[in-house]
Amino acid sequence: MVRKILVLITAITLIGCNTSKPVIVTSKKAQAKTAAINSAKKTKSRNLTSTRSTTSTSAKKNPRVNNSEVIVSTSRTIVTNDIIKLYVYQYKNIAMANMKQYGIPASIILAQGILESGAGKGDLAKNSNNHFGIKCHAGWTGESVNHDDDSAQECFRKYSNPSESFKDHAVFLTGRSRYAKLFEYSKGDYKAWAHGLRAAGYATDPKYPDKLISYIERYNLHQYDSKVIDVNYVLNEDQLVEELQLESKNLGNSLASYTVQKGDTLYSISKKFELKVEDLKQKNNLSDNTLSIGQKLIVN
C-alpha cells in the first residue's frame, strides 16, 4: 500500500514539472515555412544592396548624365550641362579671336559669359544680347534696358547681337585703368585673371573667382587658351569627337527653332508645333509666360 502511494506521489510530481514548461510543437512544414521566410528576407536584402551598388556604379561610369544647375548672376537661370557645352561651342571662336586681338584669355571670356548670361539663357542675354552683365556707366550712348540687380531697375547695355556684347566686353576691360593690372598676368594663368577681375571690382560676389575657375576646369575651357598661345596645339581625339557631336546638336537646334512674332503667345506657339505649354517652357528654361518679339525658342 505504501509502495502504491509513493508511486502515485512521484507520478503527480512529474506531471506538475512537465506542465510548467512551454510546449513547442515543431513540424516539417513549419520548419520549411520559417526557412523560406528567412531565405526571402536575405535575398531581398542582398538585392537591395546590389541595386544600390549598381546604381552608384552606373552613375560613376556614366559621366554623360545631363545634370542641371542653377546659375545666379543678373538673373536666376536653370541650365543643363549640354546647354553650357553648346554655349561654349557657339562662342569659342569669338573668344579666341578676342584673346588674339585684346589679350584676354579665351577661358575667362567664356567662363564670364556662362556665369553672367546663364549660358545665354538669362534674361539680359535673351532680351538685350548682354552676355557679360555690363551696366550703362557714364559715357554709354547705345541702347539700354532696365533690370533688377544689386539695386532695382538698374541700367544695362543692350546690343543688336551677342557678337557686339563680346566685343564690348573686351573694349570695356582694355579701356579702363582699374583693369590694367590684369594684362600683366600670363594669358595662360586663368586663376590669376579670375581673382584679378574680382579685385578690380568687376563683380561684388566674393565667390566670383571660384565660380569662373570651376567653369573653366569643368568644361576644359583653358584648352582654347592653349590653342591661341600654341599655334601647333591640336585637340585630342576625345575633344574632337565631342566638338563634332556638339556641332551636330547645334545644327539640329538651329533647324528646330522659332522666332517669336508680334501677337504670339506660348499657347499659340505650342499649338503650332504640337507641344504642351509646360514642355515648351522647359525646353527654353522659361520661368513664366513672358515672350519678347524676336526671341528664339527651341521647338524640337
Side-chain angles (χ1 to χ4, degrees):
M1 184 65 180
V2 174
R3 184 179 293 175
K4 288 182 179 179
I5 292 171
L6 288 172
V7 170
L8 180 60
I9 291 171
T10 302
I12 292 171
T13 302
L14 289 173
I15 291 170
C17 291
N18 286 338
T19 55
S20 66
K21 296 179 181 179
V23 179
I24 301 174
V25 179
T26 305
S27 67
K28 290 184 177 179
K29 288 184 178 179
Q31 289 176 333
K33 185 177 181 180
T34 301
I37 291 172
N38 290 336
S39 176
K41 287 181 178 178
K42 289 179 180 179
T43 302
K44 183 177 181 181
S45 177
R46 282 198 301 268
N47 288 343
L48 181 60
T49 302
S50 175
T51 301
R52 287 173 178 168
S53 176
T54 302
T55 303
S56 177
T57 303
S58 175
K60 290 178 181 178
K61 287 184 178 181
N62 187 14
R64 298 184 63 79
V65 173
N66 195 20
N67 296 321
S68 62
E69 65 176 277
V70 178
I71 298 178
V72 180
S73 53
T74 52
S75 62
R76 184 178 185 276
T77 313
I78 301 174
V79 298
T80 61
N81 294 342
D82 278 353
I83 287 174
I84 294 176
K85 289 178 180 178
L86 282 170
Y87 182 87
V88 172
Y89 177 80
Q90 187 173 1
Y91 296 111
K92 63 184 177 64
N93 288 332
I94 294 177
M96 287 190 288
N98 281 4
M99 181 176 178
K100 291 176 182 177
Q101 183 173 354
Y102 298 99
I104 305 164
S107 60
I108 287 292
I109 296 171
L110 291 169
Q112 281 196 280
I114 292 169
L115 179 56
E116 297 288 350
S117 76
K121 301 298 182 182
D123 294 339
L124 275 176
K126 289 192 298 184
N127 300 330
S128 56
N129 290 309
N130 189 330
H131 283 238
F132 296 92
I134 299 179
K135 298 177 183 179
C136 294
H137 296 290
W140 174 250
T141 58
E143 291 188 75
S144 63
V145 293
N146 292 328
H147 181 80
D148 292 346
D149 191 38
D150 296 327
S151 302
Q153 294 297 289
E154 293 189 78
C155 182
F156 284 83
R157 301 183 182 190
K158 182 177 181 180
Y159 307 97
S160 300
N161 54 66
S163 296
E164 285 186 8
S165 179
F166 274 77
K167 181 177 180 179
D168 192 47
H169 169 258
V171 172
F172 184 80
L173 292 184
T174 55
R176 281 168 167 72
S177 58
R178 63 174 174 165
Y179 297 115
K181 186 172 178 58
L182 293 173
F183 296 90
E184 297 176 9
Y185 302 137
S186 164
K187 293 182 179 65
D189 191 353
Y190 59 84
K191 292 183 179 180
W193 275 80
H195 287 283
L197 281 165
R198 168 73 176 86
Y202 193 97
T204 56
D205 182 0
K207 294 183 178 180
Y208 194 79
D210 295 332
K211 291 177 180 179
L212 294 182
I213 292 168
S214 175
Y215 285 122
I216 290 170
E217 294 180 348
R218 272 192 285 157
Y219 296 97
N220 196 23
L221 303 184
H222 46 85
Q223 65 178 303
Y224 302 113
D225 299 339
S226 299
K227 287 187 72 173
V228 174
I229 295 169
D230 181 2
V231 293
N232 296 317
Y233 179 83
V234 178
L235 295 177
N236 64 38
E237 186 176 343
D238 290 341
Q239 291 168 336
L240 286 170
V241 170
E242 183 175 19
E243 291 223 344
L244 288 173
Q245 291 172 339
L246 288 170
E247 181 175 6
S248 174
K249 188 173 292 187
N250 195 45
L251 288 172
N253 283 343
S254 66
L255 292 173
S257 64
Y258 174 76
T259 303
V260 176
Q261 308 295 318
K262 185 176 181 180
D264 278 339
T265 64
L266 280 176
Y267 179 77
S268 66
I269 296 171
S270 68
K271 287 298 181 184
K272 182 179 295 186
F273 293 96
E274 299 181 350
L275 292 169
K276 294 180 180 179
V277 171
E278 287 305 314
D279 290 341
L280 187 60
K281 290 174 70 173
Q282 186 175 7
K283 286 176 182 290
N284 293 277
N285 296 302
L286 300 176
S287 58
D288 54 37
N289 297 333
T290 305
L291 294 176
S292 303
I293 297 174
Q295 181 179 346
K296 287 190 178 296
L297 297 176
I298 296 172
V299 293
N300 63 326

